[in-house]
Amino acid sequence: MSIETEICIYAKIGDFSGLMNPLESHAQCNLRNDKGSVRVRKITRGGNSTYETTVKKKLKDSVSAKNIEINRPCDEEYYENFRSICVDEMVKDRFIFPLRKLSLLVDGQEDEIDLNAYRGSVDIQYEVDAFPKEGGGYHEWCKIDLELDALIPILTKVIGDKDIKLNLKISHLPFKPKEAILSNTTDQSQKAIIDKMRDTVMTRVIKDA
């Protein structure tokens, strides 16, 4: 069991040529309620597929998405049986981009941490999910995740117990994301965009369900 803390952002893809050669492809199904979810995922990398199941219990956090997670490997039979009781599924390609510099305010003063110095000892990266269209290419909206757990010991070592404010920049990424929306926004118009995106971009009806 682990506690995962991440920032989740939705954004439009400004330059599709910046998304080439995904690390892996995911096909997953979820059963969820207000307390959390159960997910079964097929992960394909280099023509080989593995399967895993994840139970997520939501924890409240003001900025980030925080969950208690339990991950377990499963097999194709388990995946197909779970999929058979679901109405829709999510299919996506995952791209990885390293986070090299972190901008922040420390006691009101601007500062920057060069994360290249920690490369290899910690894994700090943007996970970008793009959603294929059935006719080819990707939808214009993508999902960007950044797990914060690896950053916490670095911030503690460098900053100590001072008050900080993170400035997370994504505009420099090669696919030039724009019109970014935090997943836990309280703005009703932005929440409506996310809801529509989940229904029309991120998920598709399982035709043989």
Side-chain angles (χ1 to χ4, degrees):
M1 182 176 68
S2 64
I3 297 179
E4 179 187 75
T5 307
E6 64 182 8
I7 292 177
C8 175
I9 301 168
Y10 299 101
K12 285 185 177 181
I13 300 169
D15 183 357
F16 286 90
S17 68
L19 292 177
M20 304 291 288
N21 302 317
L23 174 68
E24 57 194 22
S25 297
H26 296 181
Q28 64 188 53
C29 304
N30 296 271
L31 294 175
R32 66 178 73 242
N33 59 29
D34 292 339
K35 295 182 179 181
S37 65
V38 179
R39 179 187 71 208
V40 176
R41 174 183 283 172
K42 175 183 178 181
I43 304 169
T44 303
R45 184 189 296 192
N48 298 313
S49 296
T50 58
Y51 303 85
E52 66 178 25
T53 182
T54 303
V55 177
K56 288 190 177 187
K57 179 182 178 181
K58 294 180 181 179
L59 298 175
K60 291 184 178 180
D61 194 282
S62 59
V63 176
S64 58
K66 184 176 289 188
N67 301 289
I68 295 177
E69 288 197 6
I70 299 176
N71 292 287
R72 295 289 186 270
C74 61
D75 57 21
E76 184 177 7
E77 181 183 23
Y78 186 97
Y79 168 80
E80 292 296 346
N81 274 278
F82 188 92
R83 183 176 183 269
S84 72
I85 65 172
C86 295
V87 175
D88 53 30
E89 63 184 342
M90 182 183 295
V91 177
K92 59 190 182 181
D93 287 341
R94 173 157 293 178
F95 301 81
I96 299 296
F97 301 97
L99 176 62
R100 302 191 184 280
K101 291 183 179 181
L102 187 66
S103 300
L104 61 160
L105 288 175
V106 183
D107 289 341
Q109 300 295 316
E110 291 187 4
D111 200 353
E112 190 173 74
I113 299 176
D114 183 1
L115 296 175
N116 288 310
Y118 302 91
R119 191 70 56 199
S121 60
V122 292
D123 191 20
I124 306 171
Q125 55 196 16
Y126 298 95
E127 295 180 346
V128 179
D129 291 335
F131 302 94
K133 295 180 180 179
E134 293 192 14
Y138 292 117
H139 289 281
E140 65 175 344
W141 284 97
C142 68
K143 180 172 174 280
I144 305 168
D145 288 334
L146 179 67
E147 293 190 9
L148 299 180
D149 302 277
L151 283 174
I152 293 173
I154 296 175
L155 292 173
T156 301
K157 181 179 180 180
V158 176
I159 307 301
D161 58 357
K162 297 179 180 179
D163 291 333
I164 64 171
K165 180 180 180 181
L166 295 178
N167 294 318
L168 184 61
K169 297 180 180 179
I170 61 172
S171 57
H172 67 286
L173 292 170
F175 59 98
K176 296 180 173 55
K178 57 185 181 179
E179 299 182 35
I181 302 173
L182 280 171
S183 64
N184 60 349
T185 179
T186 58
D187 183 277
Q188 293 303 312
S189 62
Q190 291 183 337
K191 290 176 72 172
I193 291 173
I194 293 174
D195 288 343
K196 182 178 180 180
M197 187 194 323
R198 287 173 175 164
D199 291 339
T200 61
V201 173
M202 298 175 62
T203 58
R204 60 180 66 173
V205 174
I206 298 175
K207 295 180 180 179
D208 55 347

